[in-house]
Amino acid sequence: MEAQEEKVFRRGRRIAVDVGDARIGVASCDPDGLIATPVETVPAGGRSQARIKAIVEEYDAIEVVVGLPRSLSGKEGPAAAKVREYAGRLAMLLYPVTVRLVDERMTTVTAAQAMRASGRNSKKGRSVIDQAAAVVILQSALETERVSGRAPGESVEPVS
């Protein structure tokens, strides 16, 4: 009889970011990683990484999960390249906090559907949609780790 591998879930808050051209949605989870909740929407651009760093410090996060946009077939395009570059710079800024890239296919669609189902107009709530997408990214990453016992996605190497 083979010994069954014990699945371990790392305790600690995580931050998720949904990087867009205009806005970056940010979400966090509780220390037990049970539920992700929206934090804020950060304007994309020059000061966005400094604000994310402040949020990571405020929440004493152990990890940052960045959604990596892929096509439905799993291919990466120009948007994914931009996110990879952003995540690399973020990893440098946040070191030693780990930054991980996770698949985010359909998260904005899922967030928009949830908003419509709750009676909210997605056009009026664009900043809320970005936060909701970050919640979907984080909740998915938490579930992946809980089921597999391993950190989700790929770790990002810091770049300057």
Side-chain angles (χ1 to χ4, degrees):
M1 182 193 260
E2 285 186 39
Q4 196 171 30
E5 186 180 319
E6 184 179 337
K7 294 177 183 169
V8 178
F9 183 83
R10 300 165 300 141
R11 192 168 192 286
R13 290 186 188 274
R14 285 120 169 121
I15 298 293
V17 295
D18 177 44
V19 180
D21 289 331
R23 294 170 304 278
I24 299 168
V26 182
S28 177
C29 69
D30 61 283
D32 292 322
L34 298 175
I35 190 157
T37 55
V39 173
E40 72 179 77
T41 300
V42 176
R47 301 279 310 142
S48 66
Q49 291 190 342
R51 179 62 193 135
I52 292 169
K53 180 180 183 184
I55 293 168
V56 168
E57 291 170 351
E58 178 184 338
Y59 282 78
D60 196 24
I62 63 167
E63 185 171 74
V64 175
V65 178
V66 179
L68 181 65
R70 292 188 169 137
S71 69
L72 289 179
S73 67
K75 294 190 176 173
E76 293 184 18
K82 283 182 186 176
V83 169
R84 281 187 179 279
E85 182 182 327
Y86 187 91
R89 289 191 320 266
L90 191 60
M92 179 66 110
L93 183 65
L94 297 177
Y95 184 82
V97 174
T98 302
V99 174
R100 304 189 72 75
L101 287 168
V102 298
D103 190 338
E104 71 140 331
R105 279 178 269 192
M106 305 296 288
T107 55
T108 302
V109 172
T110 301
Q113 288 172 339
M115 283 187 63
R116 279 192 300 279
S118 69
R120 296 181 91 172
N121 180 328
S122 60
K123 287 188 183 192
K124 288 183 180 174
R126 286 202 170 135
S127 66
V128 176
I129 261 194
D130 297 315
Q131 291 175 40
V135 167
V136 172
I137 290 166
L138 184 52
Q139 199 66 54
S140 176
L142 293 169
E143 290 302 317
T144 297
E145 184 172 343
R146 192 171 280 103
V147 168
S148 71
R150 291 187 305 265
E154 62 184 87
S155 183
V156 176
E157 292 298 318
V159 295
S160 52

